[in-house]
Amino acid sequence: MKNTGMNFRHLYYFWVVAKEGGVTRAAERLGLAIQTISTQLSQLEQSIGKSLFMQQGRGLVLTEAGRLALAYADQIFLLGEQLQEALGEADSGRTRLTVGISDSLPKLTAFRLLEATLHLATPVRLVCFEDQFEALLADLALHKLDVVLTDRAVRSGTTLRVFSHMLFESDTIVVGTPSLAGAYSQGFPGSLNGAPFLLPTRNNALRGRIDEWFELHNVRPDVVGEFEDNALLNTFGRRGAGLFFAPAALAGDLADQFGAVLAGHVPQVREHVYAISNERKIKHPAVEAILSAVHQGVFSTP
C-alpha cells in the first residue's frame, strides 16, 4: 500500500478549515497562528498530491478532491467521537443504542417501542435521530445507527446490505378533537364526504392505502393539509384543524396526549412498523428487548 505520509493532525486542521469556511476562522477556533494552519494544509496537500481548496474571491472553496476528503474526514471524526463515547459508556456500565426514526413514523409508536429499553437490567443510553427514510438507511449502512424504526420495509433489489424485520401491524382509526370527531362519526364512513382531513404526504407508505380506502367508499375529503412529519400532523390535529388517521393500538395514548377521540374504525387500512438492521438476526440487547415487548403485546389493539 502506498504511504502518502498523511497524518491525523493535518487532516484535522483541514477538517476545521472546511467546517469554519476559512483559515482565519479555523485559527481562531483552534487558538493557533494563521501561518501554522496554512503550513499544515500545505503539508497535507503535498502528501496526497492534490489541491483541497481553491481561491474564490476573498475566500476558499473546496475542490472536488477537497469535497471527497471532507466526506471521509466527517466519517473518521464522527467515529472517533463515537469511540470516545462508547468507551465512556463502557466504564459507566451503560449500553448505547443509536436509533434512526423515520419522520413518517408516529412518535407515540416510537416511544412505545423504545420504552422497553428503559427497563433492562443493564442501563441503556438512547441516542435518537429523526430523518427521511432514505437518509436513515444510508446512515445505517455506514454503521452510524444500530437500528432504524420506520413504517416501511426496504425495497427488494436494493444495493444496501440491510434487512427488514416486521415488528407489528395495526388497524387504523380516524380521530380528531371531540367536536370534530362527533360531527362526522354518525354514518361513518359516508359522513366523511367534505370532512377536513390532515393526511401524510404521498411518499408516505400509509398514504396509498388511505387513498384506496377513500376511493373504495366513494369518499371525497377536504384535504386541508399534507405532512411529511407525523408529529406536526398530530399537532395540527390537536388544534382541531382536521381529522387524521392513526394506529388503533395507540387510541388510548392519542386521547391522553392529543385529546383525540374516535370518529370511526378503519380495519382495511393497516399501519406497519419495521425495524431495519445491518443483520439478518438482531443481536443488540436493547433491540431484542423491543422485539420481546412487541411479542408480549405492548401494542395490543383495543
Side-chain angles (χ1 to χ4, degrees), residues 107-121:
K107 299 307 172 284
L108 285 172
T109 299
F111 169 73
R112 291 281 294 277
L113 289 169
L114 295 174
E115 187 180 24
T117 68
L118 304 179
H119 308 295
L120 294 174

Side-chain angles (χ1 to χ4, degrees), residues 90 270 273:
R270 307 282 288 175
V273 178

Side-chain angles (χ1 to χ4, degrees), residues 101 104-115 149-151 167-168 170 230 234 246-247 249-250 253 271-274 290 294 298-299:
I101 301 172
S104 58
L105 186 71
K107 299 307 172 284
L108 285 172
T109 299
F111 169 73
R112 291 281 294 277
L113 289 169
L114 295 174
E115 187 180 24
L149 301 179
T150 182
D151 60 348
L167 293 180
F168 76 96
S170 168
N230 183 267
N234 285 348
L250 296 177
D253 295 296
E271 178 92 59
H272 303 103
V273 178
Y274 294 85
I290 292 172
V294 171
V298 69
F299 282 100

